[in-house]
Amino acid sequence: MTRIVGEEPKPEQEVVRARQRSQARITAWLLGSFVVLLFLITIAKVTGK
Amino acid sequence: MQMTKPAALPADWRDLYALTKPRVMSLVVFTALCGLLAAPAMPPLVIGFTAILCIALGAGAAGALNQWYEADLDAKMKRTANRPIPSGRLNRQTALHFAVGLGFFSVILMELATNWLAAVLLASSILFYVLIYTVWLKRRTAQNIVIGGAAGAFPPLIGWVAATGRIDLLPALLFAIIFLWTPPHFWALSLFVRSDYAAAKVPMMPVVAGYAATRRQILAYSIIMAAAAVSPWPLGLTGWIYGSVTAVLGVIFVGFAVAVARNDATEPKMMGPEKRLFAFSILYLFLLFAALVADRWLLA
């Protein structure tokens, strides 16, 4: 792997944290969407529309 | 089965996404959507959307379980060596947890949103693909994709059942069409990637029976499939739009299969007819299902 002059290599811990943050954000979005979807399904089941 | 390179980092969402075989999923989603749109009863929009979402997630779970089980095999083939698990980007256990979770989620949500029959069919399609095709047949018999093709034939049936709650003759025929379409589609591919399958010791038809026998069988299945594809029209299940489109497409499909049968090349670079048949087979299925929906909506 080539290193750019003057750029420090990213500590592994930071990469791990970045991945965890990305996972947490995506999980939050998915859970939020799931709640909205369940709400809409309930409405559709109740009203039949 | 051992993973060659352990992955230390938490999973990247792109690898989890790749694990679901998104390209295969696009055909699954399309055929499922067409099955749903061709049904005589239309569910509420959000229910229809959820049904398709569940079918996509179920297909993703099946694809992920397939990659989890076949990591050792994938590592031996050029075409699949860069997948998330064999390349070492994704831990096998993470892949298994993701796949099982996705599978359960898709089936439970399908039952909640639509009906139990659609959920049972979705669960059956996942189990069929993983247990019957991946675990049992793929490494044991040259008929692997013939029987295993049933797994890919479920989506339009599930789409229809999600909308109506019952199995009718038309979706059963759609199931049969995809079932018969799978051998020529996959065998065309396996002819020009034969060395990959041979290296991985997968008993695909060209590896076990040779080039000529595979090409003959491609032609035989293509003729039966083309006839089955038109059959809903004379049976009165569809109108002339579907009938005429599938008749023309069937003639073209068989024409490509004849070109394959007449080819005697053993070098992949000389397998133009096989590559053309493989590419056309995907277009064929898209157009056939599009014609089904057009027929249903324009002539209804």
Side-chain angles (χ1 to χ4, degrees):
Chain A
M1 206 159 62
T2 346
R3 262 182 61 192
I4 301 165
V5 180
E7 190 187 76
E8 283 303 309
K10 218 175 187 181
E12 191 168 319
Q13 197 58 28
E14 215 170 292
V15 181
V16 171
R17 284 280 152 78
R19 284 268 177 103
Q20 285 172 336
R21 270 198 299 273
S22 155
Q23 274 187 356
R25 254 197 309 273
I26 290 170
T27 310
W29 271 106
L30 290 175
L31 284 174
S33 312
F34 179 57
V35 170
V36 173
L37 184 65
L38 276 188
F39 174 72
L40 292 175
I41 290 170
T42 309
I43 298 292
K45 288 258 177 191
V46 171
T47 62
K49 287 178 191 167
Chain B
M1 231 179 310
Q2 275 295 313
M3 240 292 297
T4 42
K5 300 169 206 164
L9 284 171
D12 188 292
W13 69 268
R14 279 164 287 231
D15 289 325
L16 293 173
Y17 177 67
L19 204 64
T20 61
K21 298 190 176 179
R23 273 194 304 175
V24 176
M25 205 198 280
S26 63
L27 201 57
V28 166
V29 166
F30 183 73
T31 55
L33 180 65
C34 292
L36 188 136
L37 292 175
M42 268 304 287
L45 190 63
V46 69
I47 302 292
F49 168 79
T50 309
I52 300 301
L53 178 71
C54 290
I55 295 168
L57 295 180
L65 281 167
N66 170 277
Q67 288 196 44
W68 165 77
Y69 187 79
E70 294 191 337
D72 62 327
L73 209 65
D74 286 344
K76 292 177 194 161
M77 304 206 293
K78 264 189 294 185
R79 192 171 62 89
T80 52
N82 197 35
R83 282 178 174 175
I85 304 176
S87 66
R89 297 194 307 275
L90 190 66
N91 187 289
R92 273 195 85 204
Q93 201 179 23
T94 307
L96 178 63
H97 292 167
F98 171 72
V100 172
L102 200 61
F104 272 104
F105 178 78
S106 65
V107 172
I108 292 168
L109 185 60
M110 180 67 101
E111 205 284 324
L112 287 173
T114 63
N115 55 69
W116 67 268
L117 185 56
V120 166
L121 286 171
L122 182 61
S124 308
S125 70
I126 298 171
L127 292 174
F128 194 95
Y129 184 69
V130 176
L131 298 179
I132 307 290
Y133 171 68
T134 305
V135 176
W136 183 33
L137 297 170
K138 187 165 178 181
R139 303 187 198 215
R140 284 182 177 80
T141 167
Q143 296 297 320
N144 49 16
I145 55 108
V146 178
I147 307 163
F154 273 99
L157 180 64
I158 303 172
W160 179 288
V161 171
T164 64
R166 57 173 203 270
I167 298 173
D168 296 302
L169 183 57
L170 181 57
L173 283 171
L174 296 177
F175 181 96
I177 292 164
I178 301 184
F179 181 75
L180 293 166
W181 167 90
T182 309
H185 168 74
F186 268 107
W187 284 338
L189 168 76
S190 63
L191 278 168
F192 56 84
V193 296
R194 183 193 171 280
S195 57
D196 254 14
Y197 284 117
K201 296 189 170 60
V202 180
M204 290 301 280
M205 190 60 79
V207 178
V208 175
Y211 291 100
T214 306
R215 287 177 168 122
R216 278 197 303 274
Q217 295 211 39
I218 284 177
L219 179 59
Y221 271 98
S222 299
I223 293 167
I224 301 168
M225 181 216 64
V230 183
S231 67
W233 185 28
L235 288 170
L237 300 170
T238 61
W240 64 269
I241 296 178
Y242 173 85
S244 47
V245 170
T246 47
V248 172
L249 287 174
V251 169
I252 301 171
F253 198 111
V254 172
F256 278 119
V258 168
V260 168
R262 293 175 65 175
N263 192 15
D264 56 2
T266 54
E267 281 299 309
K269 60 183 172 205
M270 302 296 286
M271 292 188 189
E274 286 77 4
K275 288 172 187 168
R276 279 191 288 276
L277 176 65
F278 177 71
F280 179 74
S281 65
I282 298 168
L283 180 67
Y284 172 87
L285 212 58
F286 269 106
L287 293 176
L288 184 144
F289 277 87
L292 178 74
V293 175
D295 190 287
R296 158 88 175 82
W297 286 78
L298 297 175
L299 300 181

